[in-house]
Amino acid sequence: MEQALFDDLVQSLKEAKAISRGEAAASRRTDVTTPDAKAVREQIGLSQSEFAQLMQVSVKTLQNWEQHRRNPTGPAAALLKIVRTAPDVALKTLHA
């Protein structure tokens, strides 16, 4: 490993440690909000089993999302946002 890269990594670790201790502020922070699965499902008027099938997840997974025991991540969270924002387009595309 090049010395410059190693030095950058060490500096990053020192900064992370200071941030975690509250000694320094993070340079940026990203908060990602996931739509409420139950609200999205109710918005488009599907049952849990229909919506789970649409999302290609088990009913149990959907129930966990709706009861906030788990949060959808990655592609599932993105798909929820699409369904919430453009339900007609999403349903037409997913049912095709």
Side-chain angles (χ1 to χ4, degrees):
M1 178 182 298
E2 293 180 23
Q3 187 62 40
L5 178 58
F6 179 78
D7 292 341
D8 285 346
L9 290 172
V10 169
Q11 181 61 32
S12 293
L13 289 172
K14 288 178 182 178
E15 290 173 12
K17 186 176 180 181
I19 291 167
S20 70
R21 289 182 172 175
E23 299 167 357
S27 61
R28 64 179 172 247
R29 181 180 174 136
T30 303
D31 291 319
V32 178
T33 57
T34 302
D36 181 62
K38 184 174 184 178
V40 174
R41 178 179 63 78
E42 290 175 343
Q43 173 189 351
I44 60 175
L46 295 179
S47 68
Q48 283 185 336
S49 61
E50 292 168 331
F51 193 63
Q53 185 176 5
L54 179 78
M55 295 291 295
Q56 296 187 6
V57 298
S58 71
V59 173
K60 188 69 174 169
T61 296
L62 178 61
Q63 290 170 344
N64 283 331
W65 293 346
E66 290 188 357
Q67 295 170 11
H68 304 287
R69 289 189 296 249
R70 298 266 187 210
N71 293 315
T73 59
L79 184 55
L80 276 174
K81 288 181 182 181
I82 293 167
V83 172
R84 181 190 64 193
T85 305
D88 295 339
V89 174
L91 291 172
K92 181 180 176 183
T93 303
L94 294 170
H95 282 286

